Amino acid sequence: MDMKTDITRLVRANIRELSPYSTARDEYQGSLGVFLDANENPYENGYNRYPDPRQTKIRERLSEIKGMPVENIFTANGSDEAIDLLMRIFCTPGKANIVAISPSYGMYGVSAAINDVQLREVPLREDFSLDADSVLAACDSQTRLVFLCSPNNPSGNALDRSAMLRIIRESGCMVVIDEAYADFSSQGSLRSLVKEYANLVVLQTLSKAWGLAALRLGIAFADSSVVKLMGMVKYPYNISKASQEAVLKALEQPVDGQVKVIVEERGRLAGVISAMDFVMKVWPSDANFLLVKVEDADRLYEFLIGEGIIVRNRNRVRSCAGCLRMTVGRPEENDALIAALEKYSKQRKG
């Protein structure tokens, strides 16, 4: 299927016909000095004017950092906004369905439920690897989106590139690769392929490696036609001026050094934790966390809370029975986690 020419059939009819909200500043290109269009308070305090609805400076800076054209970049209020926008653009409520791997990021299902879209979950294999045949078998004529998280959350592994490419080529629908943790992986990103496949959307975020979780800045790399659709459907001023300014300042400083330490600490933690007597398995990770299977996940979870350490209990998530997800912290935080786990081990023996 030539998705370059066929993608319009996947878009909801009402979205294709939508006349988006437009500001006077969207309509005018040039130097402006007197702003009497938006009913703002005219007395300057730094925040009395509405922010740039297109986040132009951020997109230009991301273009430099990521090596992608500006027209292929959409900036969102966190990746969750991008997920929701894609649902609203492509999925007719009560009719369309989406396919997502399981276990994976929970917001795919939450957003589907909010938008009255059926969720079809496809289990990963026992080793959390991707079964392309099963994903493709779950797709039908009403499937509009396939969500693949790589590296996956909560398993931590990067999905097989050839399997993802097969799904992009053969599914006949939009395929969303969520790369929130890609900066911690050696596999690399698929973002450059959006120029080849119009049905591919690659999500990234500044919340993880860039350490800007509080600012809520998500990124979608996509064909320019998809970026245009997302811009039509989003609320006009989805990212505040304060966030835009803080993001631009943060993007001046590279985070390679921090990522390097986190990856090194991930290896150290995995080695130490896997040797503990109550630990059954530490799953290989391409992310900034470890999925750890233990003998009594609920008991260990409560113990760590008592020690002032919060991790994520995944014991009741599909294929994650007995597992806790542990984020890799600063070296001293990881030392505190190790000390608490050693204390737990001694108490069990006592």
Side-chain angles (χ1 to χ4, degrees):
M1 176 179 293
D2 181 1
M3 297 305 297
K4 280 289 185 184
T5 58
D6 200 52
I7 189 174
T8 54
R9 73 169 181 82
L10 299 173
V11 181
R12 290 170 56 184
N14 64 304
I15 300 298
R16 288 198 300 267
E17 299 166 3
L18 178 68
S19 296
Y21 181 85
S22 177
T23 72
R25 293 166 211 180
D26 284 324
E27 298 162 0
Y28 179 81
Q29 299 296 322
S31 178
L32 299 172
V34 179
F35 298 91
L36 302 178
D37 61 303
N39 304 332
E40 300 153 324
N41 184 321
Y43 294 95
E44 295 291 339
N45 61 16
Y47 297 103
N48 59 308
R49 303 293 180 185
Y50 286 106
D52 175 9
R54 300 172 186 265
Q55 301 91 44
T56 305
K57 291 182 179 179
I58 292 177
R59 291 167 64 221
E60 289 174 347
R61 181 69 183 115
L62 288 171
S63 176
E64 296 172 359
I65 293 171
K66 301 291 187 176
M68 292 290 291
V70 171
E71 59 266 27
N72 294 119
I73 300 173
F74 177 83
T75 42
N77 195 313
S79 296
D80 292 342
E81 183 190 24
I83 292 167
D84 181 68
L85 288 173
L86 291 169
M87 295 267 187
R88 288 192 277 149
I89 291 167
F90 293 105
C91 299
T92 301
K95 182 177 180 181
N97 67 73
I98 69 164
V99 172
I101 56 174
S102 178
S104 196
Y105 183 42
M107 277 305 297
Y108 311 139
V110 171
S111 185
I114 291 170
N115 286 284
D116 190 20
V117 174
Q118 180 191 13
L119 169 66
R120 296 181 175 181
E121 291 186 310
V122 177
L124 294 171
R125 297 190 181 101
E126 190 175 345
D127 63 353
F128 295 121
S129 61
L130 176 62
D131 184 346
D133 287 334
S134 295
V135 171
L136 291 169
C139 298
D140 63 17
S141 62
Q142 294 303 321
T143 304
R144 291 295 178 266
L145 297 164
V146 173
F147 285 91
L148 305 173
C149 186
S150 180
N152 189 40
N153 176 15
S155 56
N157 59 306
L159 303 180
D160 180 73
R161 186 184 181 95
S162 61
M164 290 190 289
L165 287 173
R166 184 182 165 207
I167 293 167
I168 294 166
R169 291 167 179 152
E170 298 180 19
S171 64
C173 59
M174 300 299 298
V175 178
V176 184
I177 310 294
D178 189 342
E179 295 184 345
Y181 301 96
D183 293 295
F184 305 103
S185 174
S186 60
Q187 179 168 281
S189 172
L190 294 181
R191 64 178 179 268
S192 64
L193 294 182
V194 303
K195 292 180 283 186
E196 181 179 349
Y197 300 102
N199 67 318
L200 172 63
V201 179
V202 175
L203 302 182
Q204 292 188 359
T205 181
L206 299 185
S207 294
K208 308 301 181 182
W210 285 88
L212 302 179
L215 296 180
R216 311 309 302 128
L217 202 296
I219 311 162
F221 299 99
D223 184 82
S224 59
S225 64
V226 177
V227 170
K228 183 178 179 180
L229 286 166
M230 296 178 80
M232 289 170 54
V233 176
K234 79 174 182 70
Y235 291 118
Y237 305 108
N238 56 325
I239 301 174
S240 73
K241 181 181 179 182
S243 289
Q244 292 187 44
E245 291 174 339
V247 165
L248 282 170
K249 183 177 181 180
L251 290 177
E252 294 174 1
Q253 302 296 323
V255 294
D256 296 356
Q258 293 179 3
V259 170
K260 183 175 183 291
V261 171
I262 290 170
V263 171
E264 290 173 349
E265 284 292 293
R266 180 183 72 195
R268 179 172 77 96
L269 269 181
V272 173
I273 294 175
S274 62
M276 294 182 173
D277 61 334
F278 58 89
V279 174
M280 302 169 68
K281 186 177 182 64
V282 177
W283 292 95
S285 177
D286 293 282
N288 67 333
F289 59 83
L290 297 171
L291 187 67
V292 182
K293 186 171 185 178
V294 297
E295 290 182 0
D296 190 338
D298 291 340
R299 178 183 174 188
L300 176 56
Y301 177 75
E302 294 298 330
F303 175 84
L304 289 174
I305 288 178
E307 296 295 308
I309 298 173
I310 180 71
V311 296
R312 194 73 189 270
N313 192 345
R314 303 283 77 185
N315 187 32
R316 291 164 184 82
V317 172
R318 173 184 279 179
S319 303
C320 295
C323 291
L324 301 180
R325 192 191 68 194
M326 302 178 181
T327 304
V328 179
R330 300 189 306 273
E332 60 270 26
E333 293 176 314
N334 300 329
D335 289 341
L337 173 61
I338 290 170
L341 294 174
E342 290 174 341
K343 180 178 178 181
Y344 175 79
S345 178
K346 291 179 182 177
Q347 285 191 7
R348 288 177 74 252
K349 294 176 181 177

